[in-house]
Amino acid sequence: MKHTLKQASSITVAVLATLTLAWAKAPSINATLEPTAIAVGEAAQLTVTVSGKSTDAPQLPAVNGLEFQPVGQSSQVQVINGAMTANLSYTYVVVPTHPGNFTIPAIKIGPGADAAMSPPMVLKVGGVAGGSVPAGNHANQNALPAPAVSSEEEPVSAAEQQSFGFLRLVTPKQEFFVGEMVPVELKAYFRDGIELRVDGLPKLNSDAFTMNKLGDQPVSSRQTINGVRYTVFTWPTVITAVKAGDYEMSVELPTTVTVRQQAQRPRSRRGNPFGDDFFNDVFNNFFGTATQKQMVLNSEPGGVQILPLPAENRPASFTGAVGQFDLAAEATPTQTAAGDPVTLKLTISGAGNFDRVTAPAVEKSDAWKTYKPSVKYEPGDSAGYSGAKNFEQALVPTKAGRLEIPALAFSYFDPEKKQYVTRTTSPVSVEVAPGQTTTATTVPAKPTPPIAVSAASDLAPNQLTPGHFTATLQPWLTNPWIVAAAFFPSVLALFAGLLLRRRQRLARDPKQVRVANAHRVLRVQLETMNRAAADGDTGSFFAAACAAFQNLLGLRWSLPPRTITLAEINARLNGEADGLRTIFGLADEAVYTGRAFAPDELRQLQTLVNNELRKLEAP
């Protein structure tokens, strides 16, 4: 045992001696920047590698428009043909604040005559990479507006100060209305010098809200809180309140933290000529152990209140829009002829839940023939919180004269004023000239004069004798049976080819494949539900019924079926799904209370499910 310890100590001393010789030479420095061209919102990686004797970290120059965020350091020892080389690498994330060409000056290491410097580097920063925008955004969109909150920094608790990081859900209010969309920010604070990896996107822990999809690249910044430097990742997004009540709301973020355990190095009576800090860092990086721990950051839960929309003074034209909106109308042309179309364009602009914005339409009358309006939404930000929704309706005048397009009303609920607001357009006058008509002229046919027959004639009339008839040969084209027998194989081959081509086209169309698969699964689910109703199997009945609704709604909304919840249904259908809520509510009751339904009751619910499914399948 003593021999083994002695041998291990000898090896350690030999390695340390070799490291000492390797670092005894004058320092050298090398810096690399990858990539050298990025866009605003992206980041580059700066790696500074130091070789030889040095006790200090590299001195990074200050560059206006660039932020340098240290993310860690590592050491490397190489032995090639008996020669040892030791390197210490420092890694930084370079984040630009605006576009431009930035020159990073020489980076210096070491003091006095032993100082070494890296060559300057250039980083080119454009507006948006390749002129493109993130998926789901449009080129003309602006950033999502930040929530209007107090500029005072929220206090940090003692537990958060001792942790490697913490989360914040920044909301402008704690009182919401059902259907209200509110811009929020999810912020993750990480202490400088912590080695970690973010393993996913923040998740909202509340079924009373829905949250828009987060971008993969958060906004990065630096912030000092109570004298501690933090790297801050910010995800701007929008949440929508979906059900009334008092709730708690928080967010969580999965991370992996690297924890380094220091190694016990042998003591030396002789002083270290290269600096204890530098030698300890290299020694621990080389001989120490690193452990990765998966940890989930959670924000402090905050109480919120969601109020239902008031039933009092609710306008008849209200369709569920919540926010602040304006209404504008325009008809072109205002001079036309009977039978020629007039285009009525309605524009609803503002901020709020545009998915519930429905414009009024002109109804058919004796003066106008109307068609269903077309809809186009132009979002003003990445989350679709603000923007404009355009409705175009074709109107065809059926008579001449001075016609009037009636005034149209649009109603919404303003959560700031806590009341309903109705916007009304002005009537539009249209001058309609008579249309061009064509009159058909009927020319009477001349009467055929009667044929005069002489009563008295000296000649006897001809006597025509037909004689005997004989059968003649008919061409085969005049025989329908022969024609059918001749052309049937060709028609059959043509039909088979068209059918095969249609199947191949459908097989290449992902949407058609998804629709076909959804309907195939729906048939299986309905068969399972019918058998369960006949057998009185309550659990299987509700499982199949809810799965059928999720399958059909997922197809309509382009969502995974298992993500369709009662909260999602209420948010999207806004109280227009009484049958669906009944089925989902009874399903929860059967699961949580163990209630069993008789076969007669299940057959009645089976009729309700089929009726609701037919409503959902209706265009």
Short mmCIF file of all heavy atoms in Angstrom, two decimals, residues 228-266:
data_model
loop_
_atom_site.label_atom_id
_atom_site.label_comp_id
_atom_site.label_asym_id
_atom_site.label_seq_id
_atom_site.Cartn_x
_atom_site.Cartn_y
_atom_site.Cartn_z
N VAL A 228 -24.04 41.90 -7.82
CA VAL A 228 -23.74 40.62 -8.47
C VAL A 228 -24.07 40.75 -9.95
O VAL A 228 -25.15 41.21 -10.32
CB VAL A 228 -24.53 39.46 -7.84
CG1 VAL A 228 -24.21 38.15 -8.54
CG2 VAL A 228 -24.23 39.37 -6.35
N ARG A 229 -23.13 40.31 -10.79
CA ARG A 229 -23.30 40.40 -12.25
C ARG A 229 -24.04 39.17 -12.75
O ARG A 229 -23.69 38.03 -12.42
CB ARG A 229 -21.93 40.49 -12.91
CG ARG A 229 -21.95 40.89 -14.37
CD ARG A 229 -22.29 42.33 -14.56
NE ARG A 229 -22.05 42.78 -15.92
CZ ARG A 229 -22.47 43.94 -16.40
NH1 ARG A 229 -23.15 44.75 -15.64
NH2 ARG A 229 -22.20 44.28 -17.64
N TYR A 230 -25.10 39.40 -13.56
CA TYR A 230 -25.91 38.31 -14.09
C TYR A 230 -25.98 38.41 -15.62
O TYR A 230 -25.97 39.52 -16.19
CB TYR A 230 -27.35 38.36 -13.55
CG TYR A 230 -27.48 38.00 -12.09
CD1 TYR A 230 -27.39 38.97 -11.11
CD2 TYR A 230 -27.73 36.69 -11.70
CE1 TYR A 230 -27.51 38.66 -9.76
CE2 TYR A 230 -27.87 36.36 -10.35
CZ TYR A 230 -27.76 37.35 -9.39
OH TYR A 230 -27.89 37.02 -8.07
N THR A 231 -26.04 37.26 -16.25
CA THR A 231 -26.43 37.17 -17.66
C THR A 231 -27.93 36.89 -17.70
O THR A 231 -28.41 35.95 -17.06
CB THR A 231 -25.66 36.06 -18.38
OG1 THR A 231 -24.26 36.36 -18.35
CG2 THR A 231 -26.12 35.94 -19.82
N VAL A 232 -28.67 37.70 -18.46
CA VAL A 232 -30.13 37.63 -18.47
C VAL A 232 -30.60 37.20 -19.85
O VAL A 232 -30.21 37.79 -20.86
CB VAL A 232 -30.75 38.99 -18.09
CG1 VAL A 232 -32.28 38.86 -17.98
CG2 VAL A 232 -30.16 39.51 -16.79
N PHE A 233 -31.41 36.13 -19.89
CA PHE A 233 -32.07 35.68 -21.12
C PHE A 233 -33.55 36.05 -21.00
O PHE A 233 -34.22 35.71 -20.02
CB PHE A 233 -31.92 34.18 -21.32
CG PHE A 233 -30.50 33.75 -21.55
CD1 PHE A 233 -29.91 32.78 -20.77
CD2 PHE A 233 -29.75 34.34 -22.56
CE1 PHE A 233 -28.60 32.37 -20.98
CE2 PHE A 233 -28.43 33.94 -22.79
CZ PHE A 233 -27.86 32.97 -22.00
N THR A 234 -34.06 36.74 -22.03
CA THR A 234 -35.45 37.22 -22.01
C THR A 234 -36.22 36.64 -23.19
O THR A 234 -35.78 36.75 -24.34
CB THR A 234 -35.48 38.76 -22.07
OG1 THR A 234 -34.73 39.28 -20.98
CG2 THR A 234 -36.91 39.26 -21.98
N TRP A 235 -37.37 36.04 -22.88
CA TRP A 235 -38.29 35.55 -23.91
C TRP A 235 -39.55 36.41 -23.88
O TRP A 235 -40.36 36.30 -22.95
CB TRP A 235 -38.68 34.09 -23.64
CG TRP A 235 -37.62 33.08 -23.90
CD1 TRP A 235 -37.40 32.39 -25.06
CD2 TRP A 235 -36.65 32.58 -22.97
NE1 TRP A 235 -36.35 31.53 -24.92
CE2 TRP A 235 -35.85 31.62 -23.64
CE3 TRP A 235 -36.37 32.88 -21.65
CZ2 TRP A 235 -34.83 30.95 -23.02
CZ3 TRP A 235 -35.33 32.22 -21.02
CH2 TRP A 235 -34.57 31.26 -21.71
N PRO A 236 -39.77 37.30 -24.85
CA PRO A 236 -41.04 38.03 -24.89
C PRO A 236 -42.12 37.15 -25.50
O PRO A 236 -41.89 36.42 -26.48
CB PRO A 236 -40.72 39.23 -25.79
CG PRO A 236 -39.58 38.76 -26.65
CD PRO A 236 -38.81 37.74 -25.86
N THR A 237 -43.31 37.19 -24.95
CA THR A 237 -44.41 36.38 -25.46
C THR A 237 -45.74 37.00 -25.02
O THR A 237 -45.77 38.10 -24.45
CB THR A 237 -44.30 34.92 -24.97
OG1 THR A 237 -45.32 34.13 -25.60
CG2 THR A 237 -44.46 34.84 -23.47
N VAL A 238 -46.82 36.29 -25.28
CA VAL A 238 -48.17 36.75 -24.94
C VAL A 238 -48.90 35.60 -24.27
O VAL A 238 -48.81 34.45 -24.70
CB VAL A 238 -48.95 37.21 -26.20
CG1 VAL A 238 -50.42 37.42 -25.88
CG2 VAL A 238 -48.36 38.50 -26.73
N ILE A 239 -49.62 35.90 -23.18
CA ILE A 239 -50.47 34.91 -22.52
C ILE A 239 -51.92 35.35 -22.65
O ILE A 239 -52.22 36.53 -22.76
CB ILE A 239 -50.10 34.72 -21.03
CG1 ILE A 239 -50.24 36.04 -20.26
CG2 ILE A 239 -48.69 34.18 -20.89
CD1 ILE A 239 -50.02 35.89 -18.77
N THR A 240 -52.82 34.35 -22.67
CA THR A 240 -54.25 34.62 -22.82
C THR A 240 -54.99 33.93 -21.68
O THR A 240 -54.81 32.73 -21.45
CB THR A 240 -54.77 34.09 -24.16
OG1 THR A 240 -54.02 34.68 -25.22
CG2 THR A 240 -56.24 34.44 -24.34
N ALA A 241 -55.81 34.69 -20.97
CA ALA A 241 -56.63 34.12 -19.89
C ALA A 241 -57.79 33.34 -20.50
O ALA A 241 -58.47 33.82 -21.41
CB ALA A 241 -57.15 35.24 -18.99
N VAL A 242 -58.03 32.12 -19.99
CA VAL A 242 -59.04 31.25 -20.60
C VAL A 242 -60.18 30.88 -19.67
O VAL A 242 -61.21 30.41 -20.13
CB VAL A 242 -58.38 29.97 -21.16
CG1 VAL A 242 -57.43 30.31 -22.29
CG2 VAL A 242 -57.67 29.18 -20.07
N LYS A 243 -60.02 31.04 -18.36
CA LYS A 243 -61.12 30.70 -17.47
C LYS A 243 -61.07 31.58 -16.23
O LYS A 243 -60.00 31.97 -15.76
CB LYS A 243 -61.11 29.22 -17.09
CG LYS A 243 -59.87 28.74 -16.37
CD LYS A 243 -59.99 27.24 -16.07
CE LYS A 243 -58.78 26.71 -15.32
NZ LYS A 243 -58.91 25.27 -15.02
N ALA A 244 -62.26 31.89 -15.71
CA ALA A 244 -62.38 32.81 -14.59
C ALA A 244 -62.04 32.12 -13.28
O ALA A 244 -62.21 30.91 -13.12
CB ALA A 244 -63.79 33.39 -14.54
N GLY A 245 -61.53 32.93 -12.32
CA GLY A 245 -61.20 32.40 -11.00
C GLY A 245 -59.92 33.01 -10.47
O GLY A 245 -59.28 33.85 -11.11
N ASP A 246 -59.54 32.57 -9.27
CA ASP A 246 -58.28 32.98 -8.64
C ASP A 246 -57.26 31.86 -8.78
O ASP A 246 -57.54 30.70 -8.41
CB ASP A 246 -58.51 33.30 -7.16
CG ASP A 246 -59.43 34.50 -6.97
OD1 ASP A 246 -59.44 35.37 -7.86
OD2 ASP A 246 -60.14 34.56 -5.94
N TYR A 247 -56.08 32.18 -9.31
CA TYR A 247 -55.09 31.15 -9.62
C TYR A 247 -53.70 31.65 -9.22
O TYR A 247 -53.48 32.84 -8.97
CB TYR A 247 -55.10 30.80 -11.11
CG TYR A 247 -56.44 30.34 -11.62
CD1 TYR A 247 -57.31 31.24 -12.23
CD2 TYR A 247 -56.84 29.02 -11.48
CE1 TYR A 247 -58.54 30.83 -12.70
CE2 TYR A 247 -58.08 28.59 -11.96
CZ TYR A 247 -58.93 29.51 -12.55
OH TYR A 247 -60.15 29.09 -13.01
N GLU A 248 -52.74 30.70 -9.19
CA GLU A 248 -51.33 31.01 -9.04
C GLU A 248 -50.62 30.71 -10.36
O GLU A 248 -50.96 29.74 -11.04
CB GLU A 248 -50.70 30.20 -7.91
CG GLU A 248 -51.06 30.69 -6.52
CD GLU A 248 -50.21 30.04 -5.44
OE1 GLU A 248 -49.57 29.01 -5.75
OE2 GLU A 248 -50.18 30.57 -4.32
N MET A 249 -49.65 31.53 -10.69
CA MET A 249 -48.97 31.40 -11.98
C MET A 249 -47.47 31.49 -11.74
O MET A 249 -46.99 32.35 -11.00
CB MET A 249 -49.44 32.51 -12.92
CG MET A 249 -48.84 32.47 -14.31
SD MET A 249 -49.66 33.63 -15.44
CE MET A 249 -49.49 35.16 -14.52
N SER A 250 -46.72 30.57 -12.37
CA SER A 250 -45.27 30.57 -12.27
C SER A 250 -44.70 29.96 -13.54
O SER A 250 -45.44 29.43 -14.38
CB SER A 250 -44.80 29.78 -11.04
OG SER A 250 -45.17 28.42 -11.16
N VAL A 251 -43.37 30.02 -13.69
CA VAL A 251 -42.69 29.43 -14.84
C VAL A 251 -41.54 28.57 -14.34
O VAL A 251 -41.04 28.75 -13.22
CB VAL A 251 -42.16 30.51 -15.81
CG1 VAL A 251 -43.29 31.19 -16.53
CG2 VAL A 251 -41.29 31.52 -15.08
N GLU A 252 -41.12 27.62 -15.18
CA GLU A 252 -39.98 26.77 -14.86
C GLU A 252 -39.10 26.62 -16.09
O GLU A 252 -39.56 26.77 -17.23
CB GLU A 252 -40.43 25.39 -14.37
CG GLU A 252 -41.16 24.56 -15.41
CD GLU A 252 -41.57 23.20 -14.86
OE1 GLU A 252 -41.98 23.13 -13.68
OE2 GLU A 252 -41.46 22.22 -15.63
N LEU A 253 -37.81 26.34 -15.86
CA LEU A 253 -36.83 26.23 -16.94
C LEU A 253 -35.86 25.10 -16.62
O LEU A 253 -35.20 25.13 -15.58
CB LEU A 253 -36.07 27.55 -17.10
CG LEU A 253 -34.99 27.59 -18.19
CD1 LEU A 253 -35.63 27.48 -19.57
CD2 LEU A 253 -34.17 28.87 -18.09
N PRO A 254 -35.74 24.08 -17.49
CA PRO A 254 -34.79 22.98 -17.24
C PRO A 254 -33.37 23.39 -17.62
O PRO A 254 -33.14 23.98 -18.69
CB PRO A 254 -35.31 21.86 -18.15
CG PRO A 254 -36.00 22.56 -19.27
CD PRO A 254 -36.58 23.83 -18.68
N THR A 255 -32.40 23.08 -16.76
CA THR A 255 -31.00 23.41 -17.02
C THR A 255 -30.12 22.25 -16.58
O THR A 255 -30.54 21.36 -15.83
CB THR A 255 -30.57 24.68 -16.26
OG1 THR A 255 -30.67 24.43 -14.84
CG2 THR A 255 -31.41 25.87 -16.64
N THR A 256 -28.90 22.26 -17.06
CA THR A 256 -27.86 21.34 -16.61
C THR A 256 -26.67 22.16 -16.13
O THR A 256 -26.09 22.93 -16.90
CB THR A 256 -27.42 20.38 -17.74
OG1 THR A 256 -28.54 19.59 -18.15
CG2 THR A 256 -26.31 19.46 -17.26
N VAL A 257 -26.31 22.02 -14.85
CA VAL A 257 -25.24 22.81 -14.23
C VAL A 257 -24.03 21.90 -14.03
O VAL A 257 -24.16 20.76 -13.57
CB VAL A 257 -25.70 23.40 -12.88
CG1 VAL A 257 -24.58 24.22 -12.25
CG2 VAL A 257 -26.93 24.26 -13.09
N THR A 258 -22.85 22.42 -14.39
CA THR A 258 -21.60 21.69 -14.19
C THR A 258 -20.97 22.12 -12.86
O THR A 258 -20.68 23.30 -12.66
CB THR A 258 -20.62 21.95 -15.34
OG1 THR A 258 -21.23 21.53 -16.56
CG2 THR A 258 -19.32 21.19 -15.13
N VAL A 259 -20.80 21.16 -11.96
CA VAL A 259 -20.22 21.42 -10.65
C VAL A 259 -18.82 20.79 -10.61
O VAL A 259 -18.68 19.57 -10.83
CB VAL A 259 -21.10 20.83 -9.52
CG1 VAL A 259 -20.47 21.09 -8.17
CG2 VAL A 259 -22.50 21.42 -9.59
N ARG A 260 -17.80 21.60 -10.35
CA ARG A 260 -16.42 21.12 -10.33
C ARG A 260 -15.99 20.91 -8.88
O ARG A 260 -16.18 21.77 -8.02
CB ARG A 260 -15.48 22.09 -11.03
CG ARG A 260 -15.75 22.21 -12.51
CD ARG A 260 -14.63 22.95 -13.23
NE ARG A 260 -14.88 22.99 -14.66
CZ ARG A 260 -14.51 22.02 -15.49
NH1 ARG A 260 -13.87 20.96 -15.01
NH2 ARG A 260 -14.76 22.11 -16.78
N GLN A 261 -15.38 19.76 -8.63
CA GLN A 261 -14.86 19.44 -7.31
C GLN A 261 -13.34 19.58 -7.33
O GLN A 261 -12.66 19.03 -8.21
CB GLN A 261 -15.25 18.01 -6.91
CG GLN A 261 -16.75 17.80 -6.82
CD GLN A 261 -17.10 16.37 -6.51
OE1 GLN A 261 -16.23 15.52 -6.46
NE2 GLN A 261 -18.38 16.12 -6.29
N GLN A 262 -12.81 20.35 -6.38
CA GLN A 262 -11.38 20.63 -6.36
C GLN A 262 -10.59 19.40 -5.93
O GLN A 262 -11.01 18.62 -5.07
CB GLN A 262 -11.07 21.78 -5.42
CG GLN A 262 -11.69 23.10 -5.86
CD GLN A 262 -11.28 24.23 -4.95
OE1 GLN A 262 -10.61 24.01 -3.95
NE2 GLN A 262 -11.66 25.45 -5.32
N ALA A 263 -9.45 19.22 -6.57
CA ALA A 263 -8.56 18.11 -6.23
C ALA A 263 -7.56 18.57 -5.17
O ALA A 263 -7.16 19.74 -5.11
CB ALA A 263 -7.82 17.62 -7.47
N GLN A 264 -7.16 17.66 -4.32
CA GLN A 264 -6.17 17.94 -3.29
C GLN A 264 -4.77 17.73 -3.88
O GLN A 264 -4.38 16.61 -4.20
CB GLN A 264 -6.37 17.00 -2.08
CG GLN A 264 -7.69 17.20 -1.37
CD GLN A 264 -7.78 18.56 -0.70
OE1 GLN A 264 -6.75 19.10 -0.27
NE2 GLN A 264 -8.99 19.10 -0.60
N ARG A 265 -4.06 18.84 -4.09
CA ARG A 265 -2.72 18.71 -4.67
C ARG A 265 -1.68 18.63 -3.57
O ARG A 265 -1.87 19.17 -2.46
CB ARG A 265 -2.40 19.89 -5.60
CG ARG A 265 -2.34 21.25 -4.91
CD ARG A 265 -2.12 22.35 -5.94
NE ARG A 265 -2.04 23.67 -5.36
CZ ARG A 265 -0.93 24.25 -4.98
NH1 ARG A 265 0.23 23.59 -5.09
NH2 ARG A 265 -0.93 25.46 -4.48
N PRO A 266 -0.59 17.97 -3.78
CA PRO A 266 0.45 17.86 -2.75
C PRO A 266 1.07 19.22 -2.44
O PRO A 266 1.22 20.06 -3.32
CB PRO A 266 1.47 16.90 -3.37
CG PRO A 266 1.25 17.02 -4.84
CD PRO A 266 -0.21 17.26 -5.02
#
